């Protein structure tokens, strides 16, 4: 009856007094070690910022020169976030509503002209619903240009063999 | 006229009972210690659990005044009294609990000369008064008429039965060695060698029983947040909640005062500065005692970061089947020590 884990949890109840004391001591030593040399896996978000890796699926940027107005991106979009608009005297161009976008990346994949690409920015604060609609000129601005400005410390996540996730300062 | 008033006020404040209960080690010192301890508890737990702990409110000093902000919030929050609660005991319980958990200070001296009240049995009086406060947490549990509170109260009553005997037995283990039940004489007996070295068994039993008595980890069974919200104080809000949260820390501080005087040599090493008598007789020894107490309390809040919570049966089993016998062993060791000394 029971499996490996049941046996393990039962067997820990029959520890001898000595091994109990040793386990308590181990816990205290580990606590003391971490107290003296802390390893933090959280960071102070607005002051310290994490820079995502290349290929991160953040905001979407349109290259107006490449786009041929084929509407494929608007048709594939599962969240109906991408819609086609026609500025005066011009061809059809997509516009995106970040109120709906789920950052699935289908539009980037399907674009035959590679006119869409992901930026690495993913945390932007909007003050109103209208400002979440990126249309025309606004859609072609790469938000990553603002990613590395401002008075913040930048960190990048790295996987460390011993400590798990660590944050490595890059600037 | 004005001078007379100032002298009167000065004499009133320096009158030992008032000084002890209001300033040190009473209300003001305990409030400061509370602020330090709760902040340190959250900060230590944060460090060890790989986070930051409180920081946002004053990043320069590591969020040290977080508790002031919390206290402010508690003070101005609305106090909600449930319709089904028994109003009078509901209101009285946390207030009386807080005051009475502070009361043992009335017989705990922090200096060899300046006493709160001269008495020969001060150790036993202090221990007797420390046993009163849990009754009010059971009263609070009963008066709030809530399932979680009742379970918390029941757990608390089980725990009282378990730890109280251990505390008293291990204190007796120290009292036997010093041959006195007076704090002053007990501390002067430790001038050369501290009680914790003479009778470490009783000291360890006392320490663990204090962990159990004040709901520190791994014994925070009566207030287990994950299981029964806040135990006996589930229904409380606002200032009453702030008070009830302070009770366990106040009790820890007071127990640690007793621990310091019984096992850690009290105000020794006594430093006497030439000059004003009040400074070398009250302020210096008082500072030494309070500092030792805070250090011991810091080791107690440290346990929050490394222990889980025991089940009630595990805690009671451990208390009755193991720590009780450790306390008795401490008692026997104390008696044996005295007997050996007499033979030699
Ligand atoms: S990322 Fe997905 S949801 Fe967002 S616009 Fe493109 S297809 Fe639509
Ligand atoms: S799929 Fe590409 S080319 Fe076609 S409309 Fe969208 S962005 Fe323009």
């Amino acid at each position: 009856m029971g499996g490996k884990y049941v046996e393990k949890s039962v067997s820990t109840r029959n520890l001898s007094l000595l091994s109990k004391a040793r386990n308590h001591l181990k816990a205290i030593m580990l606590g003391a070690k971490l107290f003296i040399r802390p390893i933090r896996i959280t960071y102070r978000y607005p002051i310290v910022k994490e820079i995502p890796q290349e290929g991160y699926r953040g905001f979407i940027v349109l290259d107006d020169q490449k786009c041929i107005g084929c509407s494929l991106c608007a048709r594939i979009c599962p969240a109906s976030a991408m819609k086609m608009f026609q500025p005066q005297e011009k061809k059809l161009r997509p516009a995106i509503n970040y109120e709906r976008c789920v950052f699935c990346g289908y539009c980037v994949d399907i674009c035959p002209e590679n006119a869409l690409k992901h930026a690495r920015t993913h945390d932007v604060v909007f003050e109103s619903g209208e400002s979440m609609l990126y249309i025309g000129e606004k859609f072609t601005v790469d938000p990553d240009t603002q990613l590395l400005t401002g008075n913040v410390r930048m960190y990048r996540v790295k996987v460390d063999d011993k400590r798990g996730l660590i944050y490595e300062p890059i600037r | 006229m004005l001078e007379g008033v100032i002298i009167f006020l000065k004499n009133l404040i320096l009158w030992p009972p008032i000084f002890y209960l209001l300033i040190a080690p009473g209300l003001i010192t305990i409030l400061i210690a509370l602020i330090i301890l709760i902040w340190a508890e959250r900060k230590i737990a944060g460090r060890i659990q790989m986070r930051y702990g409180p920081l946002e409110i004053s990043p320069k000093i590591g969020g040290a005044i977080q508790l002031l902000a919390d206290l402010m919030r508690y003070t101005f929050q609305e106090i909600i009294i449930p319709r089904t609660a028994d109003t009078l005991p509901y209101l009285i319980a946390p207030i009386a609990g807080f005051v009475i958990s502070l009361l043992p200070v009335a017989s705990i001296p922090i200096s060899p000369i300046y006493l709160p009240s001269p008495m020969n049995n001060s150790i036993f009086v202090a221990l007797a008064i420390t046993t009163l406060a849990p009754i009010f947490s059971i009263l609070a549990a009963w008066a709030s008429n809530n399932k979680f509170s009742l379970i918390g109260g029941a757990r608390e009553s089980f725990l009282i039965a378990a730890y109280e005997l251990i505390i008293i037995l291990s204190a007796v283990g120290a009292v036997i060695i010093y041959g006195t039940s007076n704090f002053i004489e007990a501390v002067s007996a430790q001038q050369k060698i501290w009680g914790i070295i003479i009778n470490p068994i009783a000291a360890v039993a006392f320490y663990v029983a204090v962990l159990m008595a004040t709901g520190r980890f791994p014994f925070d069974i009566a207030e287990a947040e994950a299981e029964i919200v806040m135990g006996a104080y589930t229904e409380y809000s606002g200032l009453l909640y702030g008070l009830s949260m302070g009770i366990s820390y106040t009790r820890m501080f007071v127990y640690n005062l007793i621990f310091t005087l019984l096992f850690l040599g009290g105000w020794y090493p006594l430093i006497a500065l030439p000059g004003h008598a009040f400074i070398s007789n009250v302020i210096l020894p008082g500072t030494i005692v309070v500092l030792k107490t805070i250090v011991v309390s810091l080791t107690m809040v440290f346990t929050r970061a490394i222990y889980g919570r025991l089940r009630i049966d595990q805690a009671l089993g451990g208390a009755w089947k193991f720590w009780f016998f450790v306390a008795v062993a401490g008692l026997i060791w104390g008696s044996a020590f005295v007997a050996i000394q007499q033979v030699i």
Side-chain angles (χ1 to χ4, degrees):
Chain A
M1 224 204 85
K4 195 172 82 187
Y5 293 105
V6 174
E7 263 158 37
K8 203 176 162 193
S9 77
V10 170
S11 69
T12 51
R13 288 184 200 149
N14 305 327
L15 291 175
S16 73
L17 210 58
L18 203 69
S19 51
K20 267 186 195 165
R22 204 174 51 228
N23 287 351
H24 279 293
L25 216 64
K26 257 190 195 164
I28 292 169
M29 290 310 290
L30 180 67
K33 201 177 107 195
L34 282 169
F35 178 67
I36 295 163
R37 293 192 57 221
I39 302 168
R40 293 203 169 97
I41 58 170
T42 55
Y43 61 97
R44 302 181 58 200
Y45 166 63
I47 299 167
V48 174
K49 240 178 159 183
E50 175 203 334
I51 305 296
Q53 306 286 350
E54 286 297 337
Y56 188 86
R57 289 207 299 238
F59 272 51
I60 290 157
V61 192
L62 172 74
D63 188 338
D64 203 52
Q65 248 41 56
K66 287 187 187 165
C67 178
I68 52 171
C70 67
S71 307
L72 276 174
C73 51
R75 297 183 68 171
I76 193 82
C77 179
S80 303
M82 197 74 90
K83 289 269 161 65
M84 300 309 287
F85 283 85
Q86 191 168 28
Q88 304 96 334
E89 318 281 322
K90 270 197 188 165
K91 301 267 168 54
L92 278 173
R93 285 291 175 267
I96 185 168
N97 184 357
Y98 283 113
E99 224 171 340
R100 315 194 68 155
C101 178
V102 294
F103 300 96
C104 62
Y106 284 4
C107 51
V108 178
D109 276 355
I110 204 157
C111 180
E113 298 293 318
N114 284 336
L116 295 174
K117 74 163 177 118
H118 278 295
R120 282 186 290 163
T121 307
H122 72 292
D123 46 347
V124 174
V125 178
F126 294 104
E127 280 175 0
S128 64
E130 293 90 68
S131 62
M132 295 176 85
L133 181 67
Y134 277 45
I135 188 166
E137 196 74 344
K138 198 176 171 190
F139 195 13
T140 60
V141 178
D142 190 345
D144 277 0
T145 49
Q146 284 143 30
L147 188 69
L148 293 165
T149 59
N151 190 17
V152 290
R153 277 180 290 154
M154 300 293 166
Y155 279 74
R156 174 166 286 156
V157 193
K158 250 182 63 180
V159 180
D160 189 87
D161 287 346
K162 276 202 193 112
R163 293 163 44 177
L165 290 184
I166 53 167
Y167 290 88
E168 179 189 58
I170 55 174
R171 179 169 79 100
Chain B
M1 174 66 200
L2 188 70
E3 248 170 52
V5 170
I6 289 174
I7 288 173
F8 171 74
L9 278 181
K10 189 181 140 227
N11 286 341
L12 187 70
I13 287 174
L14 293 187
W15 187 45
I18 300 268
F19 184 83
Y20 267 78
L21 280 177
L22 272 190
I23 298 174
L27 201 59
I28 292 177
T29 313
I30 282 188
L31 274 182
I32 294 171
L34 221 75
I35 288 173
I36 297 173
L37 285 180
I38 297 181
W39 169 73
E41 173 162 17
R42 297 170 63 177
K43 209 70 189 167
I44 293 172
R47 258 177 108 88
I48 293 173
Q49 292 164 356
M50 305 184 175
R51 334 176 247 114
Y52 276 91
L55 188 63
E56 226 21 70
I57 206 150
S58 52
K60 289 249 168 62
I61 47 172
I65 55 172
Q66 175 72 42
L67 199 81
L68 281 184
D70 287 353
L71 271 182
M72 202 106 88
R73 182 170 72 83
Y74 290 143
T75 315
F76 295 110
Q77 224 172 22
E78 185 191 357
I79 294 175
I80 300 165
I81 302 174
R83 198 181 295 150
T84 51
D86 196 348
T87 315
L88 190 64
Y90 177 88
L91 288 177
I92 286 176
I95 301 170
F98 189 80
V99 172
I100 285 180
S101 58
L102 202 62
L103 204 59
V105 163
S107 71
I108 302 176
I110 53 164
S111 115
I113 303 164
Y114 190 70
L115 314 174
S117 51
M119 56 174 107
N120 279 330
N121 289 324
S122 47
I123 294 179
F124 290 132
V125 172
L127 285 173
I129 302 175
T130 52
T131 60
L132 284 179
I135 294 169
F136 288 95
S137 104
I138 294 169
L139 180 69
W142 180 256
S144 10
N145 193 8
N146 172 305
K147 281 180 244 170
F148 296 126
S149 306
L150 271 183
I151 297 173
R155 289 181 175 190
E156 177 82 37
S157 53
F158 278 126
L159 282 174
I160 297 172
Y163 66 69
E164 222 142 63
L165 199 57
I166 304 174
I167 288 192
I168 291 174
L169 279 182
S170 42
V172 170
V175 166
I176 283 181
I177 291 178
Y178 312 136
T180 169
S181 55
N182 184 342
F183 273 121
I184 313 262
E185 290 167 23
V187 174
S188 9
Q190 300 174 61
Q191 187 162 8
K192 292 212 183 67
I193 183 158
W194 287 4
I196 194 167
I197 298 168
I198 304 175
N199 195 347
I201 309 171
V204 170
F206 193 95
Y207 186 90
V208 174
V210 171
L211 284 183
M212 213 181 288
T214 57
R216 305 260 71 77
F217 277 71
F219 300 106
D220 75 326
I221 297 157
E223 301 184 347
E225 288 131 29
E227 300 157 25
I228 49 171
V229 194
M230 185 63 198
Y233 302 108
T234 302
E235 289 287 4
Y236 285 92
S237 51
L239 192 57
L240 291 181
Y241 175 76
L243 277 181
S244 55
M245 202 182 70
I247 290 179
S248 77
Y249 288 93
T250 313
R251 294 187 66 213
M252 177 173 76
F253 190 82
V254 170
Y255 272 126
N256 285 342
L257 272 178
I258 300 175
F259 184 78
T260 308
L261 293 185
L262 282 186
F263 295 104
L264 293 185
W267 44 81
Y268 289 108
L270 189 59
I271 312 158
L273 283 187
H276 202 290
F278 189 73
I279 292 179
S280 52
N281 283 337
V282 181
I283 301 206
L284 276 178
T287 320
I288 292 173
V289 171
V290 168
L291 276 184
K292 280 182 186 172
T293 309
I294 287 182
V295 169
V296 177
S297 308
L298 281 178
T299 63
M300 286 190 173
V301 297
F302 172 76
T303 57
R304 169 177 284 270
I306 51 174
Y307 282 121
R309 180 181 306 125
L310 293 179
R311 283 198 317 267
I312 181 85
D313 59 321
Q314 289 169 330
L316 292 180
W320 285 114
K321 289 186 206 148
F322 181 70
W323 290 107
F324 174 66
F325 294 106
V326 174
V328 171
L331 195 60
I332 294 170
W333 167 247
S335 331
F337 184 82
V338 174
I340 291 168
Q341 246 183 354
Q342 273 167 357
V343 169
I344 297 172

